[in-house]
Amino acid sequence: MIKLKLPLLLLSIPIFLSACSSSSSKQKAEEEKKTDPKRDSLLLIYNSSKPDKKIENYFEDIHKKRNFNGNVLVAKKGKIIYEGHFGWADYLHRDSLKMGSVFQLASISKTMTGTAVLMLMEQGKLKLSQTVDQFYPEFPYKGITIEMLLSHRSGLNNYVYFTDGIWKQKYKGMTNKDVIKLYAEYKPAPYFPPNRQFHYNNTNFMLLAAIVEKVTGQDFDIFMKENVFKPAGMKNTAIYSTAKYEKIPVDVVGHDRIWRRSVRQDFLDGTTGDKGVYSTVEDLFLFDRALRDGLLLTKTTLNSAYTPHSKLQNNYFGYGLGWRMFVDSAKNEQIIYHTGWWHGFRHIFLRDMKRDITIVILSNLVNGSINQLDDLYKILGMPVVRRGVSDED
């Protein structure tokens, strides 16, 4: 046995204490970062007199040449480098968009629904291996797990099409529970057996929102406000349903290709989880930072959410747990994103994990103006992420 001389032992104690102190200080700093009441306002600081000129010129160009209409935010390493708003909130009433304008997020809502489900998993309130019929015994399909819903591998048909010929009151909001009852009554054939393959489907996230309600005993909009939006600092974000509101209390109207045709909300705007979140470009940036800073989920859980759960399409594109992704392992590229397309709204929320770049584009005119953003990606030094922007949502 080697005996450690007393003077050497004493010398090692300060080194050990210093290491512990450093680790403790770092942990304390991280905790203070999470609870700092000024955090959100500091993140949203932007000097509009000094925008990134190349990005500004890009969006002004697509506004003029491609009739882009919407709001934009671009950030790098946690700092906003460009913000802009272009065009009309409601063309018929000539209301202009503002930076604080609230948009229906369409399928970008899925990223938040997925976050809520994973939070409940971390809290031990549900398991990803549990099946839908464990929460709703009347649900007629067996073997469909929460993980399959999150990764679009359930095989279920899309309720958006299934209910169209059944729900007679076209402008009375249909709830998630109403849809589950219709599945129990009509039992429409699934597209394919559970877990056989990836198939993007709104039914999956509608069911996840219903499961959140069953597990928590709270309405989905209330749970999300208290557990996702508020902790992330998203003060201008809410879930609105036509089953609860006769008129959704926002001013931004969706327009379908031609200005004079605004898209009317209908019974499908009653269901939530797959859509139904209303928010701003700045609140989406705060959501991005809350995830990166560990305010909502642990790093281990996020790594799982950001891992493709099906074979990569075209060798690069996949879907994790509530997120689309572009992955190029050879170049260490990982782009985590989601698109949105619903009732006259078209969006992209993109997060370059390697360069710490966030792009938020919310548009209320569906005209293809954001289908290809190659030049923007090149300005930011990113790989071109083309496929997926025009995917069905």
Side-chain angles (χ1 to χ4, degrees), residues 109-385:
S109 304
K110 292 180 172 72
T111 66
M112 298 170 201
T113 302
T115 297
V117 171
L118 294 174
M119 288 174 72
L120 292 173
M121 179 204 71
E122 288 189 345
Q123 295 166 12
K125 295 180 180 178
L126 58 77
K127 296 178 180 178
L128 299 192
S129 59
Q130 287 182 276
T131 57
V132 179
D133 58 297
Q134 288 180 259
F135 302 95
Y136 290 92
E138 69 272 29
F139 191 69
Y141 311 100
K142 307 303 178 184
I144 297 173
T145 67
I146 291 175
E147 184 171 358
M148 292 176 200
L149 298 177
L150 283 166
S151 56
H152 291 294
R153 296 185 60 86
S154 70
L156 291 169
N157 76 338
N158 195 331
Y159 82 92
V160 171
Y161 309 123
F162 154 59
T163 59
D164 188 50
I166 297 172
W167 193 262
K168 302 302 181 185
Q169 296 172 288
K170 295 304 182 185
Y171 294 102
K172 181 192 175 198
M174 177 176 64
T175 69
N176 297 42
K177 290 179 182 177
D178 287 332
V179 179
I180 291 173
K181 288 178 183 177
L182 292 175
Y183 271 112
E185 180 180 355
Y186 289 91
K187 301 177 180 59
Y191 290 145
F192 47 79
N195 209 32
R196 192 178 82 178
Q197 67 187 65
F198 169 84
H199 183 82
Y200 186 89
N201 188 338
N202 287 302
T203 301
N204 298 317
F205 280 74
M206 179 278 298
L207 288 170
L208 287 170
I211 289 171
V212 169
E213 290 190 327
K214 181 70 76 168
V215 170
T216 64
Q218 289 182 291
D219 286 352
F220 186 60
D221 58 334
I222 301 300
F223 177 83
M224 294 296 287
K225 179 180 179 180
E226 293 178 356
N227 296 275
V228 178
F229 305 152
K230 188 175 179 180
M234 301 164 71
K235 298 180 179 65
N236 301 299
T237 301
I239 292 176
Y240 296 125
S241 161
T242 54
K244 274 194 172 185
Y245 294 82
E246 187 174 338
K247 183 182 184 304
I248 304 299
V250 298
D251 297 325
V252 180
V253 175
H255 301 84
D256 191 5
R257 297 187 185 278
I258 58 173
W259 272 123
R260 291 177 176 81
R261 190 171 69 204
S262 59
V263 181
R264 184 178 176 182
Q265 292 159 340
D266 60 22
F267 70 104
L268 291 169
D269 290 286
T271 47
T272 59
D274 56 323
K275 52 186 163 35
V277 177
Y278 288 73
S279 190
T280 67
V281 291
E282 289 187 341
D283 270 15
L284 279 172
F285 174 55
L286 291 176
F287 179 51
D288 163 71
R289 300 324 294 181
L291 289 169
R292 290 181 190 266
D293 294 342
L295 270 66
L296 301 175
L297 296 170
T298 65
K299 185 176 180 180
T300 299
T301 299
L302 286 173
N303 285 342
S304 177
Y306 300 160
T307 299
H309 282 61
S310 298
K311 184 180 178 182
L312 287 173
Q313 300 172 23
N314 293 348
N315 298 319
Y316 294 107
F317 292 90
Y319 202 96
L321 301 177
W323 293 95
R324 295 184 183 274
M325 61 201 60
F326 168 88
V327 181
D328 186 344
S329 300
K331 296 182 179 179
N332 193 30
E333 298 287 0
Q334 187 186 39
I335 311 292
I336 304 300
Y337 71 102
H338 216 290
T339 50
W341 187 2
W342 180 253
H343 282 182
F345 292 93
R346 193 70 181 271
H347 318 305
I348 183 164
F349 175 35
L350 186 146
R351 309 162 65 220
D352 184 330
M353 308 309 283
K354 180 179 178 179
R355 298 166 187 81
D356 194 359
I357 292 172
T358 310
I359 301 172
V360 187
I361 304 174
L362 303 181
S363 172
N364 63 324
L365 175 61
V366 180
N367 61 0
S369 61
I370 63 170
N371 282 3
Q372 292 187 6
L373 302 172
D374 301 15
D375 291 338
L376 176 62
Y377 299 145
K378 289 173 184 175
I379 289 169
L380 292 164
M382 296 168 51
V384 173
V385 185

